[in-house]
Amino acid sequence: MNKRVNLIIGSGVIGAYLSAELLKNKQKVVVTSRSLNKNFINYKYLKIKNKIKFEKLNTNKRNQVKNIIEKYNPKKIFYFSGQSSLTKSIKNKKETLISHYNGTKNFIDILKKQKSNIKFFKANSGYIFSPNKGLIHLNCKFSTNNNPYIIAQQKVFNLIKNNRKYGLNLSNLIFMQIESPLRKNDFFIKKVCLGAKNKKKIIVGNLNTFRDYSWITDVVKAIYLTSNLKSKDYIISAGKKLSGIEII
């Protein structure tokens, strides 16, 4: 198979927008999902569904992971799958760990065994770190928060970092708050925008909290550019924190 194929694990928002960015750069894209019995509405919204090859994959099944790597021999693998809700992870501890750590480990073990030069990128979260003077950087200490999602992603971060020493092309991609038109209406920025547009009163939480907000199209452009650089850990963000009050 052509080495220009990009394999995206997970059919969520980031994967959809990255697919659009890769297609714009004349790249071939294959997207995996645990089920093919879905509408892939993110891809429909971006009008790219018919340009994507979808494959069924359970990342917890090592044999399935091995088969899809051998079938496509991709140039790059973007692992954007996994349970990503801090709240839901509390009730689904095992699923959260398996979807992030076990799935990632299956890919790494196979790439290591094959002595592969395929580039592998794992999406991660700035929540795994404790801010230093209000800022997140790669030298920050891990957060002591015992949320299952944070713990799972911290394990993945170390897994990626520790296995790079074997000559594998592995990278952690650390994201902060990513906004997009596909956000649900109850997310803060979208709620504010819709309230202003419709001239309706909205109810929000603490406006004194700060977040680093990035726009999805900027993020996927950065992912694409980063994927052509040396394999290491990267933080992809706006690099500026805003409070709720500033946004309103």
Side-chain angles (χ1 to χ4, degrees), residues 65-74 107 110 114 118:
V65 173
K66 180 176 180 289
N67 288 342
I68 202 161
I69 290 175
E70 291 179 348
K71 179 177 180 178
Y72 289 102
N73 190 24
F107 273 95
I110 291 165
Q114 295 179 350
I118 294 173

Side-chain angles (χ1 to χ4, degrees), residues 13 39 74 98 143 163 183 192 235:
V13 174
N39 292 323
I98 287 173
S143 169
N163 276 278
R183 280 286 203 188
V192 170
I235 293 178

Side-chain angles (χ1 to χ4, degrees), residues 185-196:
N185 291 346
D186 59 349
F187 277 80
F188 177 65
I189 288 184
K190 192 167 185 180
K191 180 188 284 189
V192 170
C193 292
L194 290 174

Side-chain angles (χ1 to χ4, degrees), residues 93-109:
K93 294 181 182 180
K94 185 176 180 180
E95 176 196 343
T96 301
L97 181 63
I98 287 173
S99 64
H100 288 286
Y101 183 83
N102 292 34
T104 301
K105 189 174 187 300
N106 282 337
F107 273 95
I108 290 176
D109 287 347

Side-chain angles (χ1 to χ4, degrees), residues 79 154 179 221 234:
Y79 193 112
Q154 288 172 339
E179 299 299 321
K221 285 178 183 176
Y234 295 93

